[in-house]
Amino acid sequence: MNRVELAKGIYHVGAVDWNVRDFHGYSTPRGVTYNAYLIVDEKIALIDTVKAPFAGELLDRIRDIVDPAKIDYVIVNHVENDHCGALPEVMKHCPAAKVVITEKGRQEAAKLYGGDYDYMVVKDKDTLSLGKHELEFIPITMLHWPDSMTTYLKSEGIYFSNDAFGQHICTAKRFDDEVYMPDVYYEAEKYFANILMPYARLIGRAIGRVAGYDIKMIAPSHGVIWRSHIGDIIARYLAWGAGKPEERIVLFYETMWGGTERMARAILEGINKAGVPATFYRLSASDRSHIMSEVLMAAGLLVGSPTLNNGMMPAVGDMLTYLKGLRPAGKLAAAFGSYGWSGGAQKDIEEMLTKSGVVLEEGLNLDWTPSAEEIEKAEAFGYAFALKVKAKCAPVE
Ligand code: FEO
């Protein structure tokens, strides 16, 4: 078994789930890692566990270094099952360990896992000496759960950042300078969009809280460990968190007999004529999590559906339900689509877009299949929408 050492006596002991393809609705075509870390000092601390089915792999990696029974502290940065599902099994092997956790985390863990553990509840900036090393605990409440906490190892400058700075990608190596970085950056952005977007406004403040810290390594709970691109990923997080939209449009739609698709293609022509970059997705052939990664920074959204049974198509409802939960505030958005003898889809879409926090613009609704004149109208609609996006993104004089 290969040992992965972050610094002397500090190990990655987590698991690599190469084959998982869905993470509560978030597609993971490259799999997921559940990172856990072991610090061996006068006292021994385990930072986080793994998803329950991987408890055996975690314990084997620990056993390769120390007897799990010698663990003094199990630090629970986050109670969600991908980090904590193996906690009951791990605690059977280190029954004397204290569980270091926030008060919110303690309440959640008691309900989720039911164990009567020896809890050590910590607050903001509390510290814990392991001997040579000292840990500091920094809660990041609502990034993205009430219990979420991070842990800083001062002596080595390692920031155990929990879900923050994570990526859902499996790689054979554990560090950023050992892997193909364009894939990692793509997955980091997708992760931010699909997990952290609703709380993006909290990012700047959370990063500000460790601004003066000497961080030599960011060790997240998912994906690769950052040691050579720290400044870059922090800059990207600040930009994603600030949410300043870029001059781009994401268009997604579903079609029944092709009328709404013809509209979508004409709208794209209009957007192209205005010179605004755009991406184009038929939802039944696309991955909603990937679309969200593009929505993150795009200034404009266009959503199309024909009317089916007085409402929108199921694939559009799926996407908009997901979008509403992630709350991409402040973007311009509009609905379009064709209908037969009565409408309904556009109203459904507009209601969902309004609940998503976007700025709703006037949409375009056409009956039956679009005529040549109506195709021109759709192109003009796309052109006009793109100009609004341009105006929104224009620098303030
Ligand atoms: Fe990685 Fe919030 O779970």
Side-chain angles (χ1 to χ4, degrees), residues 23-24 32-34 78-83 143-145 147-148 162-163 168 191 195 221-222:
F23 189 91
H24 56 50
V32 172
T33 78
Y34 314 110
H78 183 22
V79 171
E80 194 165 7
N81 290 350
D82 52 324
H83 305 240
L143 280 172
H144 64 130
W145 273 27
D147 60 83
S148 296
N162 191 340
D163 280 328
H168 280 332
Y191 190 92
I195 299 286
S221 296
H222 303 293

Side-chain angles (χ1 to χ4, degrees), residues 260-274:
T260 297
E261 181 161 288
R262 281 197 285 282
M263 287 178 72
R265 288 175 181 274
I267 290 167
L268 183 64
E269 287 294 320
I271 296 170
N272 285 342
K273 194 170 157 190

Side-chain angles (χ1 to χ4, degrees), residues 256 259-260 263 305-308 310-311 336-346 364-370 374:
M256 194 187 316
T260 297
M263 287 178 72
S305 177
T307 291
L308 172 69
N310 299 113
F336 66 91
S338 66
Y339 64 95
W341 57 99
S342 72
Q346 187 163 348
L364 181 65
N365 215 12
L366 301 175
D367 65 344
W368 301 107
T369 195
E374 286 171 332

